[in-house]
Amino acid sequence: MLSRFSQFLGPEDLALCQRVFDQICADASLGSKSIEAEDLAAAVLTAFHCSPNRTEADLLAAIRSGRNDFEKQTG
């Protein structure tokens, strides 16, 4: 999903954003080609752009705190 942004991000940054995207998709049971996944991709890239020095854990927490529908499903 995020590979189309490779011209805007370096390989390490793209890999970090992709891992966060993949983790949130898995947690929320989102199909990677769904409309919700498009929204998630935009949220990940925006959060990364606003603070590019974040760790993977920071970025995951930022996305989860801002979007209840991307929180890890339990039970």
Side-chain angles (χ1 to χ4, degrees):
M1 170 69 66
L2 296 176
S3 61
R4 66 179 181 219
F5 298 101
S6 62
Q7 71 263 23
F8 303 111
L9 296 173
E12 297 86 16
D13 294 339
L14 181 61
L16 173 93
C17 290
Q18 186 68 54
R19 286 191 306 272
V20 170
F21 173 82
D22 291 342
Q23 182 63 55
I24 299 290
C25 279
D27 290 350
S29 299
L30 292 178
S32 63
K33 308 263 187 210
S34 67
I35 302 254
E36 293 84 3
E38 290 277 339
D39 291 343
L40 172 60
V44 169
L45 291 171
T46 298
F48 180 82
H49 177 71
C50 289
S51 185
N53 295 322
R54 287 187 177 176
T55 65
E56 186 171 335
D58 292 339
L59 196 53
L60 276 166
I63 298 301
R64 287 180 176 144
S65 70
R67 302 290 302 262
N68 291 337
D69 51 336
F70 298 139
E71 288 181 8
K72 187 171 185 173
Q73 302 297 311
T74 60

